[in-house]
Amino acid sequence: MIGQNYNVLGIMSGTSLDGVDLAHIIFNVNNGKWSYNISECQTVAYSDEWVKRLKEAVNYRGDELAELNTDYTSLLGGVIKTFIEDNAIKGLDAVCSHGHTILHQPANGFTLQIGNKKEIADIVNETVVCDFRVQDVKMGGQGAPLVPIGDRLLFADYTYCLNLGGFSNISFENNGKRLAFDICAVNTVLNYYANGLGLPYDDGGKISARGKMIPELFNELNALAFYSMPFPKSLGFEYVNEVLLPLMESYDNSVEDKMHTFTKHVALQISNVLKDMPKGKLLVTGGGAYNTFLIKSLEALLPENTVVIPDDKTIQFKEALIFGLLGVLKLREEVNVLSSVTGASRDHSSGIVLGG
């Protein structure tokens, strides 16, 4: 399917469990240069029951996982269908859906995104492009990050693209190759503690800002082995549950102090990646872009870089936007996964096409 204009939906559910991000996008490609326009967009929050199921799912096995996948496919299909109907969207070329990551164990040759069952195409009554990570893992890659191809094609004006979601990840060009990797956990940890206070997240980083540094915890966090590993590398919920939270919980300090310390840790780890790199413009997206305390902490450590916080649609829906692009590239049978960032045996066009 080779054209110049594409009318698609990009769908993303991230590890921070904010909900399902949906974006209606028109892509245009002219002489190899891509542009886009995001029109209708929405985040549909998960119910408390679904948040609980998705958090617990890392411990599911066999029949439990299969049941969850079936139920989630129905939920996601219904959310997408309602979005299409409510916004009277017509003439779609594809619905490009990431699904929701439950298990991500590339070292074991395994990754699972639920919501990608073939039934979803029947529910939404559209062509669906999905399941973007599995092929890469089978080819020896990390199955992540997948966003860098979009950073290269859509955000080339920025030296670095930093996403602050459930995890932080960065993408940049280096000697003609796109490099990208996960840096550290962010909202998976901060939201955990905010949830314990009865809040969905730390609004503007106000709770973290009230806290005080716990030097011993700060030092232990920064000494974790992941930070000295070479890339490509990626993180999942398993790391949070098995490494980070047990370490954080080994301290009896207040929630505010733990959140303050962890936020400062995040800022330091990001700055450590960039401190010896060329100076330039750093595009920051994801929910963490609204965390004023985190952004100010980062700016203080990177005074020679320009931190750019874009418009709300780009902050909130950049991943949905890029999964829309990944779907279009798959329809065009063009590369949408870069081996330079995932570690796969070669660049490839990943995903499956359902329906149509």
Side-chain angles (χ1 to χ4, degrees), residues 194-236:
N195 294 167
L197 298 174
L199 300 168
Y201 55 88
D202 183 8
D203 185 16
K206 295 184 181 73
I207 300 169
S208 303
R210 290 200 301 267
K212 296 179 180 178
M213 176 67 78
I214 309 168
E216 298 85 357
L217 174 59
F218 185 69
N219 291 336
E220 280 202 74
L221 286 167
N222 291 320
L224 289 170
F226 179 82
Y227 303 124
S228 60
M229 290 170 55
F231 53 82
K233 56 183 178 178
S234 60
L235 290 164

Side-chain angles (χ1 to χ4, degrees), residues 12-313:
M12 177 66 191
S13 173
T15 48
S16 56
L17 296 176
D18 296 334
V20 180
D21 292 338
L22 306 102
H24 180 206
I25 311 145
I26 304 296
F27 288 106
N28 178 267
V29 58
N30 189 4
N31 293 323
K33 184 171 178 59
W34 288 85
S35 60
Y36 69 91
N37 179 63
I38 301 176
S39 51
E40 299 85 4
C41 49
Q42 181 183 2
T43 298
V44 178
Y46 290 120
S47 67
D48 291 343
E49 178 187 354
W50 267 107
V51 170
K52 182 173 183 291
R53 288 185 75 181
L54 293 173
K55 281 183 177 179
E56 293 175 347
V58 68
N59 300 311
Y60 289 1
R61 295 294 180 268
D63 291 346
E64 283 182 309
L65 272 178
E67 181 182 2
L68 179 73
N69 200 352
T70 297
D71 292 348
Y72 186 78
T73 298
S74 296
L75 173 76
L76 185 59
V79 167
I80 296 169
K81 184 178 181 181
T82 298
F83 180 77
I84 292 171
E85 292 172 350
D86 287 351
N87 292 287
I89 298 171
K90 306 291 184 183
L92 284 172
D93 292 307
V95 172
C96 311
S97 179
H98 170 268
H100 185 86
T101 297
I102 295 299
L103 298 171
H104 185 64
Q105 301 170 0
N108 299 322
F110 184 75
T111 186
L112 172 65
Q113 286 69 49
I114 59 173
N116 291 329
K117 292 169 67 70
K118 60 182 176 57
E119 288 82 2
I120 195 166
D122 297 328
I123 296 170
V124 303
N125 196 29
E126 299 284 353
T127 297
V128 175
V129 189
C130 60
D131 229 359
F132 293 99
R133 299 189 190 272
V134 172
Q135 178 174 293
D136 190 75
V137 171
K138 288 181 178 177
M139 294 173 62
Q142 291 281 309
L146 300 187
V147 167
I149 186 71
D151 291 340
R152 169 181 279 179
L153 296 178
L154 301 177
F155 297 100
D157 292 342
Y158 297 92
T159 318
Y160 306 101
C161 292
L162 175 70
N163 185 68
L164 299 175
F167 301 90
S168 63
N169 48 69
I170 195 163
S171 163
F172 53 92
E173 295 289 332
N174 186 349
N175 295 324
K177 282 189 175 182
R178 195 80 192 181
L179 300 183
F181 46 90
D182 285 349
I183 299 175
C184 59
V186 185
N187 292 333
T188 44
V189 173
L190 295 177
N191 288 358
Y192 171 84
Y193 285 104
N195 294 167
L197 298 174
L199 300 168
Y201 55 88
D202 183 8
D203 185 16
K206 295 184 181 73
I207 300 169
S208 303
R210 290 200 301 267
K212 296 179 180 178
M213 176 67 78
I214 309 168
E216 298 85 357
L217 174 59
F218 185 69
N219 291 336
E220 280 202 74
L221 286 167
N222 291 320
L224 289 170
F226 179 82
Y227 303 124
S228 60
M229 290 170 55
F231 53 82
K233 56 183 178 178
S234 60
L235 290 164
F237 258 130
E238 295 93 332
Y239 185 79
V240 174
N241 291 333
E242 295 168 10
V243 177
L244 290 177
L245 290 180
L247 174 57
M248 300 279 288
E249 289 300 284
S250 70
Y251 285 79
D252 294 328
N253 304 69
S254 70
V255 168
E256 289 84 355
D257 289 355
K258 289 180 181 180
M259 293 176 72
H260 178 100
T261 302
F262 192 79
T263 301
K264 290 291 189 178
H265 160 70
V266 170
L268 179 63
Q269 289 305 319
I270 295 169
S271 71
N272 281 347
V273 169
L274 293 172
K275 64 182 180 182
D276 296 324
M277 302 284 286
K279 310 311 176 191
K281 292 197 297 182
L282 175 66
L283 177 70
V284 181
T285 55
Y290 295 112
N291 187 325
T292 304
F293 179 59
L294 173 55
I295 296 302
K296 287 184 175 179
S297 299
L298 185 59
E299 287 178 325
L301 293 170
L302 295 170
E304 295 181 39
N305 286 279
T306 302
V307 175
V308 179
I309 309 296
D311 62 278
D312 284 342
K313 281 186 178 181

